């Protein structure tokens, strides 16, 4: 399909900053890919950097370019990844400039961070003070989570402990938390941006080098940039670099809780770079009624006459959540049986999605679907790898130790797992003998068989490691244990296969594999079947022929807390709604239950969400 | 803007235990055979070319050492941006930034660079030795001190395409090259960029010529018919046989290619009939053609550049001095960086001292030193020319003995042979006459900078001693020759002739001269002739008194210094009294030399004194 005139204009824009306001369904990914192709063919040399929001988006773009015959070998000149992944690369190659060691580990697991924070607060030296804090708290777990969030917030705002303005004792806790990470040669997720920013900001010649290498930078989903990310981009550009393209839609900014703000794209970027502004507001995805309704949310007054399909968007009120769920089910069954005039092909379950504000709203739907044998699934977005068996937890810890001998936290975890005193293990000359010593005399001793196949700086052949595991499984496992263990091993194998798929053999080192897992690069691409059950955040970037949005009552969607605080929080809710609605291609069913059961047992009468007031009711 | 390989550091590679050198645009490796120059060149080629051709034999081990699998060989190379004269600059050109990419480029306050570490190490997983390449982020003071990125990376496409290293060994020969498709000649001549049309046209003409030849030569025609009958015997129905005087297809042309050379009015002769000098020279020129050919192709891409490293052994092979100079001119104009190992004084004389790197081997280990330009000493080239013009072999010596006169220069080798039972050259020792007074300095500067063991054998005259002291003070900072055991000075103000006579060799001297002149009464004639006359110092010769003969001999020897040096020395060494075959002071010198070059005293016949 040919590009529209507007799209073509954007594709052929060469030098100079550019802001593309791209609404949903406007063919944004296509335009980005085509522009990259154009840039590659226009210049013989020089690289292009494309930063995406998620690994999936990066994969999507990469595979489109790889499979395009016009790109061919020039694919080597494109670097596509998330901002975190790009920053991690910078840290690994230039970290030494700010005193970081090259084998720095990533502690991405929330529980690991909590454990470190807890040990900081319970440290003997400060027990008097900090220890009290934890004991005073009614719900220490929640306190720790909040504390971690605050630390994240500080890091996202590029505020180091010594410049932190929060009331005492927080800055000191923050500092100690950081110290504990640094002492073990480790960092957390937010450090990735912070460190990369520092490297570029403190070493202008490095930024200059990157400028020279990357002639053009394209940033997708720019409405989700946060302070740290925008500052990083500024540090990258210095004062002279202008070939930045930002693509985004302020109406789809739904990550404010994470520090994201569309002002970086719409205000600061405009102020700092004076970009040419393009608007892509043609929606090639959705039908007329859907677009008309979504316009009421954004206040746009597009001319919808050119849209081909009429589609359908209605709102309905049901007696209660069960009735709502049943209605969803019967609609699905009818549509699959009879089809719809505006939908060309017969429908299958994968063409349907049910979106709700949060996962609790789905409980009735789950029950009803199960009863009616309607296949469904929850879309997962995770990174990292979860192990069911202790054996594979040990497996992961072995890798952590091999990669970073200074990682005290994981060393302790391993010692605890094998029930050994950590001091007994102190006098080992190298990590492998340490591991051997820890594992022998325990039920994990058979795992020593993988050690000969691991070389730290060398390329690893993970298949051999898996092979060693499978060949040496202990014989005294129960059937259940064996089942789980094999599932876990297969999980690792799948991550390895996906990793192999996009990394050349000579770059398959232990560190790059483990980091890829941590960054979510090896996550399973969804090949799930059935109806998708999603929150608005999980639905980002997807599209379905038919979308149900349920639980659209005031207090649920929009969430009651946003209703109470108003302002930005409410705007976020509106954006959430906008994202949800614009997932629909042809048919969109909005609904809410008149009566809702509260967690403490009583019923509550629901008012319709302010967002659906303008939607036509069904007959 | 070009790039230059400005630093190299090698650890545990073949005969090189450790070596760290700076390189310039032109580098001459000088040193005796077998000192490790070829290993050095091989290391450079390995590091640049990205080849994987290695084995465990490439790792250095001492004599009694057994190779441990943990031992690794390391070759570090350092590229910097430069101008056309080889001076380093701060930033790479856009082209090189694109080709190296940020993976390989490191920024620093001293300018951007690309540091590549090549390691040969044992891979326990593959159970064999392999090569790995990593990026150097900080050069550091030594191999251990450097900051290396842990992630192994491979050369980028651009690096493989635009970094080229060529090796020309001493045995190059165009005749071999002609037969070898993979030689530079083979590659340049099999690179046809012809259109289909042209190919068809040429091949048609070849066919016509072939047919005409066969047709015109009856015996050829007959032979062809005869051997065609093979088709029937082997039962092949559709076969046919042709005799091809000329290649039929363009792609086969290089099989029968020949180079013929015409010397003046003589006829063209195939190159195989010319001498090795010509043949090896032409082989070098085909490399130039190859490189030029590549450069031509690059011209289509007007930003593109190439880095070329030429490593070459003995360009002088088989060539006479003038030809050597001309070839060297051509090498100097070769566009790229050059490391040339040579034994030729003619070639050395054409370059500058600062281009030279001296190689030596001690205890099985290679040592390499570059001449350090002394800030106080601006006359580098002057020194160089003085020495090289006089005696270039000094640069190749294992030890150098300096003396001020031709007499000593002739006599010392005779004593040397008596002491060591072999000629000085067998042990790499050069005995050199500095050519007059006050000439020690340039020689000493050179041997100091190249760390060549040196010795001085000097007259005891006040002026001579002053010369020695002044020279060693200026070059080595030592103010008295007595503090050094490699400086032997005759005592009592005597010169060599005085010394021999006072050591009691008068009879032997007279015998030697008599034999040489075939005149047993030469001394008497001399006395008669010159008695009563003035010497140069205005004193009157008086040979009439008791020691008259002695004095006369002294004067006679002084007047004819060099003429009899050799015969006298020979006579002395043939002395029936074994203990007196070598004058004591000379023996002192020779013992010091033995210590200095590590020759075991046991091998020397110890004369009983």
């Amino acid at each position: 399909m040919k590009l529209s005139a507007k799209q073509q204009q954007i594709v052929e824009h060469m030098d100079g900053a550019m802001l593309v306001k791209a609404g949903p369904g406007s063919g944004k990914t296509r335009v980005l890919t085509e522009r990259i192709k154009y840039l590659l063919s226009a210049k013989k040399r020089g690289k292009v950097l494309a930063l995406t929001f998620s690994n999936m988006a990066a994969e999507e773009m990469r595979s489109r370019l790889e499979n395009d015959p016009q790109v061919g070998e020039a694919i080597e000149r494109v670097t596509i990844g998330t901002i975190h992944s790009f920053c991690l690369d910078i840290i690994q190659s230039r970290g030494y400039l700010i005193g970081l060691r090259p084998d720095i580990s990533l502690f991405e697991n929330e529980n690991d961070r909590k454990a470190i924070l807890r040990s900081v607060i319970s440290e003997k030296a400060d027990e008097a003070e900090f220890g009290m804090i934890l004991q005073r708290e009614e719900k220490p777990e929640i306190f720790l989570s909040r504390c971690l969030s605050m630390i994240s917030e500080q890091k996202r705002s590029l505020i180091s402990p010594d410049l932190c303005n929060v009331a005492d004792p927080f800055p000191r806790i923050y500092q100690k938390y950081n110290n504990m990470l640094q002492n073990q040669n480790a960092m957390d997720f937010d450090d990735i941006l912070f460190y990369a920013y520092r490297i570029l900001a403190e070493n202008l010649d490095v930024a200059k080098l990157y400028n020279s290498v990357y002639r053009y930078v394209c940033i997708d989903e720019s409405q989700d940039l946060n302070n740290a990310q925008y500052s990083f981009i500024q540090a990258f550009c210095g004062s002279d670099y202008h070939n930045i393209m930002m693509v985004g839609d302020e109406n789809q900014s739904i990550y404010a809780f994470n520090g994201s703000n569309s002002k970086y794209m719409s205000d600061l970027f405009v102020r700092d770079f004076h970009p040419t502004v393009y608007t892509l507001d043609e929606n090639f995805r959705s039908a007329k009624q859907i677009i008309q309704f979504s316009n009421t949310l954004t206040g746009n007054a597009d001319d919808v006459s050119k849209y081909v399909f009429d589609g359908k968007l209605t709102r309905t009120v049901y007696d209660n959540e069960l009735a709502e769920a049943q209605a969803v089910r019967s609609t699905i069954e009818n549509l699959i049986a009879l089809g719809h005039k505006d939908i060309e092909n017969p429908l299958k379950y994968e063409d349907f999605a049910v979106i709700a504000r949060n996962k609790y709203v789905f409980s009735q739907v789950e029950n009803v679907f199960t009863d009616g044998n309607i296949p469904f699934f929850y879309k997962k977005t995770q990174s990292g790898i979860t192990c069911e068996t202790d054996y594979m937890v040990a497996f992961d810890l072995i890798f952590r130790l091999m990669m970073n001998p200074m990682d005290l936290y994981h060393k302790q975890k391993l010692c605890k797992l094998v029930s050994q005193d950590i001091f007994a293990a102190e006098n080992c000359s190298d990590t492998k003998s340490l591991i051997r010593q820890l594992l022998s005399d325990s039920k994990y001793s058979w795992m020593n068989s993988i050690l000969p196949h691991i070389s730290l700086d060398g390329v690893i052949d993970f298949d051999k490691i898996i092979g060693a595991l499978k060949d040496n499984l202990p014989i005294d496992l129960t059937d259940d244990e064996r089942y789980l263990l094999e599932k876990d091993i297969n999980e690792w194998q799948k991550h390895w296969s996906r990793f192999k798929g996009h990394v050349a053999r000579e770059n398959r080192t232990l560190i790059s594999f483990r980091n890829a897992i941590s960054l979510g690069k090896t996550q399973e691409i969804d090949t799930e079947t059935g109806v998708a059950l999603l929150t608005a955040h999980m639905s980002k970037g997807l599209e379905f022929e038919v979308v149900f949005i349920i639980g659209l009552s005031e207090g649920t969607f929009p969430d009651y807390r946003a209703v109470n605080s108003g302002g930005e929080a409410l705007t976020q809710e509106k954006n959430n709604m906008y994202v949800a609605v614009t997932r629909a291609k042809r048919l969109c069913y909005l609904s809410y239950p008149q009566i809702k059961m509260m967690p403490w047992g009583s019923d509550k009468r629901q008012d319709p969400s302010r967002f659906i007031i303008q939607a036509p009711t069904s007959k | 803007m070009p790039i230059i390989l400005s630093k190299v550091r090698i650890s545990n590679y073949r005969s090189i235990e450790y070596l760290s050198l700076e390189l310039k645009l032109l580098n001459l490796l000088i040193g005796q055979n077998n000192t490790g120059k070829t290993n050095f060149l091989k290391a450079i080629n390995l590091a640049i070319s990205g080849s994987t051709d290695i084995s465990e034999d490439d790792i250095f081990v001492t004599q009694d050492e057994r190779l441990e699998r943990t031992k690794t060989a390391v070759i570090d190379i350092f590229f910097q941006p430069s101008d056309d004269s080889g001076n380093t600059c701060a930033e790479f050109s856009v082209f090189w930034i694109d080709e190296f990419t940020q993976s390989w480029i490191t920024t620093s306050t001293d300018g951007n660079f690309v540091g590549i570490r090549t390691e040969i190490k044992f891979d326990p997983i593959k159970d064999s030795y392999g090569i790995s390449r990593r990026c150097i982020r900080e050069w550091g003071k030594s191999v251990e001190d450097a900051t290396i990125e842990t992630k192994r990376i491979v050369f980028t496409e651009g690096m493989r395409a635009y970094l080229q290293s060529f090796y020309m060994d001493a045995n190059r020969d165009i005749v071999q090259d002609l037969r070898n498709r993979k030689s530079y000649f083979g590659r340049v001549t099999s690179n046809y960029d012809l259109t289909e049309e042209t190919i068809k046209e040429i091949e048609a003409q070849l066919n016509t010529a072939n047919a005409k030849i066969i047709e015109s030569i009856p015996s050829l025609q007959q032979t062809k018919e005869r051997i065609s009958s093979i088709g029937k015997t082997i039962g092949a129905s559709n076969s046919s046989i042709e005799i091809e005087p000329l290649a039929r297809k363009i792609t086969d042309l290089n099989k029968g290619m020949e180079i013929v050379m015409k010397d003046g009015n003589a006829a063209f002769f195939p190159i195989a009939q010319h001498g090795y000098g010509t043949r090896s020279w032409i082989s070098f020129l085909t490399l130039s053609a190859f490189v030029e050919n590549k450069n031509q192709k690059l011209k289509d891409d007007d930003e593109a550049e190439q880095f070329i490293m030429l490593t070459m052994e003995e360009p002088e092979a088989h060539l006479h001095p003038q030809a050597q100079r001309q070839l060297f001119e051509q090498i100097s104009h070769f566009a790229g960086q050059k490391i040339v190992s040579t034994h030729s004084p003619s070639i050395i004389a054409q370059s500058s001292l600062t281009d030279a790197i001296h190689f030596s081997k001690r205890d099985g280990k290679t040592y390499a030193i570059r001449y350090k330009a002394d800030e106080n000493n601006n006359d580098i080239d002057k020194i160089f020319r003085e020495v090289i013009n006089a005696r270039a072999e000094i640069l190749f010596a294992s030890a150098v003995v300096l003396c001020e006169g031709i007499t000593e220069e002739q006599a010392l080798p005779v004593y040397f042979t008596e002491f060591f039972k072999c000629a000085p050259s067998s042990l790499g020792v050069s005995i050199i006459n500095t050519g007059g007074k006050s000439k020690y300095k340039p020689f000493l500067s050179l041997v100091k900078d190249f760390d060549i063991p040196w010795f001085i054998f000097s007259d005891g005259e006040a002026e001579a001693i002053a010369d020695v002291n002044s020279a060693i003070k200026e070059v080595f900072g030592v103010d008295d020759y007595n503090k050094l055991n490699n400086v032997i000075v005759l005592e009592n103000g005597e010169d060599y002739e005085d010394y021999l006579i006072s050591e009691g060799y008068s009879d032997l001297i007279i015998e030697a001269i008599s034999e040489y002149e075939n005149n047993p009464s030469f001394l008497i004639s001399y006395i008669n002739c010159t008695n009563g006359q003035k010497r140069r110092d205005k004193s009157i010769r008086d040979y009439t008194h008791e020691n008259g003969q002695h004095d006369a001999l002294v004067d006679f020897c002084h007047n004819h210094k060099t003429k009899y040096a050799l015969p006298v020395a020979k006579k002395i060494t043939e002395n029936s009294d074994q203990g007196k075959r070598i004058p004591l002071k000379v023996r002192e010198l020779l013992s010091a030399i033995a210590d200095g070059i590590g020759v075991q005293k046991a091998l020397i016949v110890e004369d009983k004194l």
Side-chain angles (χ1 to χ4, degrees), chain A residues 44-47 89 92-94 96 102 205-206 208-210 212-215 452-453 455 457-458 506-507, chain B residues 91 94-95 97-99 101-102 105-108 121 125 134 137-138 149-152 154 162 301 303-304:
Chain A
K44 234 171 347 208
R45 311 211 129 74
K47 290 170 86 161
D89 269 340
Q92 284 176 325
S93 59
R94 318 274 164 173
Y96 69 94
D205 49 356
V206 174
K208 192 154 173 239
L209 176 64
Y210 274 87
S212 310
V213 172
Y214 291 108
R215 300 279 201 287
H453 298 287
S455 120
D457 57 349
E506 52 269 348
N507 292 329
Chain B
E91 282 179 24
V94 169
F95 171 77
I97 291 182
D98 286 334
E99 299 308 327
T101 78
Q102 80 279 13
I105 298 180
T106 307
T107 57
S108 85
K121 63 200 293 199
I125 296 189
R134 263 182 258 265
R137 291 288 174 203
E138 268 168 3
E149 216 171 278
T150 35
K151 208 162 79 157
R152 271 168 61 169
V154 291
Y162 299 109
D301 180 356
E303 289 168 350

Side-chain angles (χ1 to χ4, degrees), chain B residues 432-541:
Chain B
I432 294 183
N433 145 41
T434 58
K437 307 230 170 284
S438 315
K439 292 273 194 138
Y440 284 116
K441 230 181 22 164
F443 290 89
L444 288 182
S445 297
L446 261 183
V447 298
K448 169 181 176 235
D449 281 306
F450 287 143
D451 214 12
I452 304 174
W454 59 277
F455 303 86
I456 289 183
F457 186 79
S458 170
D459 280 353
E461 288 163 349
E463 218 181 296
I465 294 183
D467 268 350
V468 170
N469 276 336
S470 129
I472 59 179
K473 173 133 200 274
E474 197 168 330
V475 178
F476 293 99
V478 176
D479 49 11
D480 184 3
Y481 73 84
N482 283 306
K483 295 186 179 165
L484 298 171
N485 57 5
N486 52 339
V487 179
I488 311 294
V489 177
L490 298 176
E491 288 154 20
N492 306 325
E494 290 174 338
D495 68 8
Y496 175 67
E497 290 81 10
D498 294 332
Y499 171 68
L500 285 185
I501 293 173
S502 69
E503 273 279 292
Y505 289 106
S506 302
D507 292 336
L508 287 175
I509 296 176
I510 295 175
E511 210 181 301
I513 300 178
S514 306
E515 274 175 28
Y516 189 82
E517 294 292 358
N518 210 7
N519 177 5
S521 51
F522 74 93
L523 195 55
I524 301 181
S525 318
Y526 180 74
I527 293 177
N528 288 338
C529 262
T530 58
N531 191 27
Q533 290 178 8
K534 283 196 197 146
R535 294 193 186 89
R536 219 179 291 138
D537 62 0
K538 308 287 196 258
S539 58
I540 311 261
R541 298 165 200 257

Side-chain angles (χ1 to χ4, degrees), chain A residues 387 389-401 413-414 417-418 435 439 444 447 450 492:
Chain A
C387 307
T389 61
D390 276 349
Y391 292 113
M392 292 318 268
V393 167
F395 185 67
D396 193 20
L397 291 173
I398 291 175
F399 285 140
R400 291 264 189 197
L401 279 190
K413 270 184 100 168
L414 184 59
L417 201 58
V418 304
I435 293 173
L439 297 184
Y444 302 93
M447 300 190 82
I450 64 171
W492 277 90

Side-chain angles (χ1 to χ4, degrees), chain B residues 166-208:
Chain B
F166 298 104
Y167 176 63
M168 288 233 102
D169 71 26
N171 296 329
R172 58 196 170 271
D173 181 355
I174 187 65
V175 173
Q176 307 271 18
D177 294 347
L178 283 174
R179 294 195 208 99
N180 181 4
R181 263 247 177 121
K182 299 212 184 109
S183 69
Y184 298 120
F185 181 82
R187 286 155 72 183
V188 160
T189 53
S190 48
N191 210 349
Y192 306 128
D193 237 347
L194 302 169
T195 60
E196 275 295 319
E197 255 181 67
T198 319
I199 292 180
K200 281 207 169 80
E201 203 188 303
I202 296 180
E203 284 182 358
Q205 290 192 12
L206 286 172
N207 274 333
T208 317

